[in-house]
Amino acid sequence: MTARDARLHAFRPDLADARLKGQVSAERFVTGRPARIAASVADLKKSPRDDSAIDTQLIHGDDVLVFDETPGWAWVQAERDGYVGYVVQSAIVPREHAPTHRVIVPRTFVYPGPDLRFARAGELSMGALVTVTGQAETRGTAYALLSSGQAVVAGHIAPAEAVAEDYVAVAETFLNTPYLWGGVSGFGIDCSGLVQLSMLMAGRRVLRDTDMQEASVGDPIVPGADFSGLRRGDLVFWKGHVAIMTDAENMIHANGHTMMVSRESLREAVERIGYLYGGPTSFRRL
């Protein structure tokens, strides 16, 4: 364990084994300053550079702790899953208003006021947290008024404590969403991001990366040589990849083969993926 990891271990021992990402060495280490993501989606990077690769993403309303700041960048730890890395400073704000609602559709627009004919002011992904301060109706469409003074369609949000009954049904709403390495939002998502966000909407917080999920989500199962023991909601893992079973034979996953979230027969996927990466490494059930 490095000195940096030891400090993080002292800070969040429950997340210390989540293989904290972001290979950085902060110039100073102080008690984390509470902050919140204000951007629609914020890339979390290994290095404070625009051309640095994305490790993962944070979405609007995610709480973070800021441990170090350099010009234009902040080194943060996400409270939701323990990930660390750099985000642009403009993406974070103080925690002023407690979120009251969460976006429950894959994507929605933010308007400067309660009227869909207004020029959009932004967009939000499923899972984004907002603070609702009022309601309005324009030409029969109900809007939620936000603490920012903006508005979203009321039917696109639900109380923050509400949870979906079936995380697989949530995942299915992302069909045809573009694949994005490190993506965790309705604008672009990867395989483990699809699992993490879908389960979040169903009230279950899980770790971010595929190998983390393979080691911690649910319990291992043995489906048999013909995979006949699988059912809806089971997870199938390969080295560096994960898919969600939608029934006993088919699965949904964000993948680089189609470059989007798509359905596929498990048998076809095993044959196709095995050619390059080998067969499934494990199966898990919630």
Side-chain angles (χ1 to χ4, degrees):
M1 178 181 291
T2 67
R4 177 181 65 85
D5 287 343
R7 287 188 292 257
L8 287 173
H9 188 282
F11 154 58
R12 290 295 297 274
D14 56 319
L15 294 174
D17 295 330
R19 194 202 306 140
L20 300 172
K21 298 289 184 172
Q23 302 304 311
V24 298
S25 179
E27 294 181 0
R28 67 182 188 277
F29 191 92
V30 296
T31 301
R33 170 171 63 85
R36 182 165 289 145
I37 298 299
S40 172
V41 180
D43 294 340
L44 195 69
K45 297 170 174 280
K46 289 183 179 180
S47 304
R49 304 193 321 269
D50 289 335
D51 62 353
S52 180
I54 301 172
D55 266 347
T56 186
Q57 293 178 318
L58 304 169
I59 56 178
H60 188 279
D62 275 346
D63 283 340
V64 299
L65 289 170
V66 180
F67 286 99
D68 195 42
E69 295 182 271
T70 58
W73 296 87
W75 184 47
V76 306
Q77 182 176 40
E79 293 206 351
R80 177 150 56 98
D81 59 15
Y83 237 100
V84 298
Y86 284 102
V87 296
V88 293
Q89 282 182 321
S90 59
I92 58 176
V93 296
R95 299 182 194 176
E96 294 181 345
H97 303 284
T100 62
H101 289 70
R102 190 184 295 276
V103 175
I104 58 172
V105 294
R107 297 159 290 277
T108 192
F109 292 119
V110 180
Y111 300 96
D115 194 328
L116 58 82
R117 295 181 182 177
F118 289 166
R120 65 181 176 83
E123 52 281 320
L124 295 172
S125 165
M126 179 185 285
L129 289 164
V130 297
T131 303
V132 174
T133 59
Q135 302 177 21
E137 184 174 316
T138 304
R139 293 186 301 278
T141 300
Y143 296 87
L145 305 179
L146 308 181
S147 58
S148 63
Q150 299 169 318
V152 297
V153 174
H156 289 181
I157 62 174
E161 65 273 15
V163 296
E165 294 184 1
D166 179 10
Y167 94 92
V168 183
V170 176
E172 290 172 323
T173 68
F174 286 98
L175 279 170
N176 300 321
T177 297
Y179 178 87
L180 177 67
W181 177 270
V184 298
S185 81
F187 306 109
I189 201 162
D190 65 17
C191 62
S192 55
L194 180 64
V195 171
Q196 186 187 47
L197 182 52
S198 299
M199 289 193 176
L200 174 68
M201 299 304 294
R204 187 183 185 104
R205 294 194 175 194
V206 302
L207 297 176
R208 173 64 179 93
D209 291 346
T210 303
D211 58 341
M212 297 176 183
Q213 294 174 359
E214 186 173 17
S216 62
V217 178
D219 299 305
I221 58 173
V222 180
D226 59 355
F227 307 128
S228 61
L230 293 175
R231 68 188 188 197
R232 182 178 176 88
D234 289 344
L235 297 175
V236 184
F237 290 92
W238 287 262
K239 183 179 180 180
H241 189 60
V242 60
I244 303 167
M245 296 300 296
T246 58
D247 57 38
E249 299 178 352
N250 301 290
M251 65 186 213
I252 184 172
H253 59 153
N255 63 93
H257 178 65
T258 63
M259 286 303 295
M260 61 184 178
V261 177
S262 56
R263 297 182 190 273
E264 189 171 6
S265 158
L266 172 61
R267 292 181 181 277
E268 292 177 358
V270 168
E271 181 176 353
R272 177 180 59 77
I273 296 172
Y275 174 71
L276 293 173
Y277 303 106
T281 54
S282 70
F283 303 83
R284 298 186 75 89
R285 178 171 295 165
L286 300 184

